[in-house]
Amino acid sequence: MQLGMIGLGRMGGNIVRRLLGAGHTAVVFDQNPKAVAALVEAGATGADSLEDLVAKLDLPRAAWVMLPAGEITEATVRSLGTLMQADDVIIDGGNSFFKDDLRRAAALRDKGIHYVDVGTSGGVWGLERGYCMMIGGDASAVGRLDPIFATLAPGLGDVPRTPGREGRDPRAEQGYIHAGPSGAGHFVKMVHNGIEYGLMQAYAEGFDILKHAGSKDLPEGQRFDLDIGDIAEVWRRGSVVSSWLLDLTAQALAGDEQLDAFSGFVADSGEGRWTLNAAIEESVPANVLSAALYARFRSREHASFADKLLSAMRKGFGGHVEPT
């Protein structure tokens, strides 16, 4: 199947590479000509503008926007809406706010253009591991794009099957779901990222406690000189708190147990705030998620070891490099 890709950064470029490796075709565009050239060398067709990309796509077209949420995505979707025609599909795979999806979908619907929002998780490891996707849009457009989603998804892999799922949508087991109408995909991904904040904060605080177990502020008989790198490693092996985030923690600590390479300034990219706004609108208490977000705010005033561990995890799964 053919797909157009706008934005060839850490995730967009690897999405294209995964598709090309499975026999799909792609037309690609990025403001950086070197990024386009690298994908052309890998087998994609290059475009030097949005107009050129749209012209090189077969009808009905499908164009995926993989850009930072905000005005650049807004402008790109708006431009594609003027270039594409009825029955074409515009996909936003970034971390856009779900209410923006609702507005865009309504505007494009008047032109007969489908809008599909894809909450995409997998970070810099997606090329190898695949991408977990939470998809919003009308069923006809999502169904048409299924060969793309099926290729990008991780598949069953070695994750044990959940008993009692017989008769339910098999796509969830493959690592992607059609969550609902436009906006639903990014809504689910938004909450996913809010949960991610909480999980990361729990690991960071726990390892900070372990690191300070030998503090001179403690009674001498109550001090422990713990190897936190080994603790992270053993917890990966059969512990109830094992996870990919713990894997990344163990990797970071194995290479630099003091985490001196990290500033501890922890950014937030918006989804945590949006999750809390949704919780307020729904009158749902979210004590852990709100505390995790506020901890990131505090990290920008005084960084702790826990904050450095958060930075290490963010770099591990998403390639995020915090400011120094």
Side-chain angles (χ1 to χ4, degrees):
M1 187 174 181
Q2 186 194 53
L3 180 73
M5 179 64 75
I6 301 105
L8 306 175
R10 289 191 300 260
M11 291 185 69
N14 280 346
I15 285 173
V16 172
R17 290 182 177 90
R18 187 170 174 92
L19 292 173
L20 293 174
H24 296 281
T25 60
V27 182
V28 299
F29 170 67
D30 192 280
Q31 294 291 344
N32 180 359
K34 291 183 179 179
V36 175
L39 267 299
V40 169
E41 187 174 344
T45 299
D48 56 20
S49 66
L50 287 180
E51 293 81 359
D52 188 30
L53 178 137
V54 170
K56 289 176 176 176
L57 290 173
D58 301 329
L59 293 172
R61 306 177 185 93
W64 184 309
V65 180
M66 201 64 177
L67 296 168
E71 183 52 38
I72 186 170
T73 292
E74 188 71 35
T76 302
V77 171
R78 190 183 310 122
S79 295
L80 286 172
T82 66
L83 296 170
M84 299 175 79
Q85 64 188 51
D87 210 30
D88 289 345
V89 183
I90 297 174
I91 306 155
D92 178 8
N95 282 326
S96 291
F97 185 38
F98 77 97
K99 291 185 180 179
D100 291 335
D101 295 321
L102 302 179
R103 173 176 46 78
R104 294 174 192 156
L108 292 168
R109 194 178 300 118
D110 292 340
K111 302 178 181 181
I113 299 173
H114 303 280
Y115 180 86
V116 173
D117 53 290
V118 182
T120 312
S121 182
V124 296
W125 298 89
L127 175 60
E128 176 186 346
R129 294 168 60 113
Y131 300 89
C132 173
M133 292 168 290
M134 297 134 270
I135 305 161
D138 63 78
S140 62
V142 174
R144 182 196 306 171
L145 294 166
D146 191 72
I148 295 292
F149 299 138
T151 297
L152 294 177
L156 280 171
D158 57 1
V159 178
R161 303 188 80 161
T162 302
R165 280 199 54 86
E166 294 78 14
R168 303 187 63 157
D169 190 338
R171 292 176 292 185
E173 288 189 313
Q174 299 296 322
Y176 67 109
I177 58 168
H178 181 199
S182 294
H186 277 147
F187 184 86
V188 175
K189 178 58 162 49
M190 174 189 76
V191 177
H192 163 283
N193 283 23
I195 292 170
E196 178 185 290
Y197 281 34
L199 292 172
M200 292 172 68
Q201 188 65 31
Y203 282 126
E205 292 179 7
F207 278 98
D208 207 6
I209 295 168
L210 293 169
K211 178 176 173 57
H212 288 89
S215 170
K216 293 181 179 179
D217 294 333
L218 294 169
E220 186 172 352
Q222 194 178 313
R223 299 174 195 166
F224 301 105
D225 182 15
L226 301 174
D227 188 320
I228 58 174
D230 281 356
I231 292 169
E233 185 63 29
V234 76
W235 281 355
R236 294 180 61 216
R237 313 289 174 170
S239 163
V240 72
V241 298
S242 60
S243 71
W244 184 23
L245 287 172
L246 184 59
D247 294 344
L248 296 172
T249 298
Q251 290 172 26
L253 292 172
D256 175 14
E257 190 158 312
Q258 301 305 315
L259 301 179
D260 291 329
F262 298 93
S263 69
F265 180 108
V266 187
D268 71 285
S269 51
E271 299 91 336
R273 303 184 191 210
W274 299 339
T275 302
L276 292 184
N277 287 338
I280 291 167
E281 291 176 356
E282 298 169 7
S283 299
V284 172
N287 304 25
V288 171
L289 305 192
S290 58
L293 177 63
Y294 293 143
R296 294 192 177 201
F297 295 164
R298 193 233 356 105
S299 77
R300 297 161 207 175
E301 298 175 1
H302 173 72
S304 66
F305 180 80
D307 300 322
K308 291 184 177 184
L309 196 56
L310 288 174
S311 293
M313 283 186 271
R314 279 172 53 80
K315 183 178 181 182
F317 68 75
H320 305 288
V321 178
E322 311 286 10
T324 57

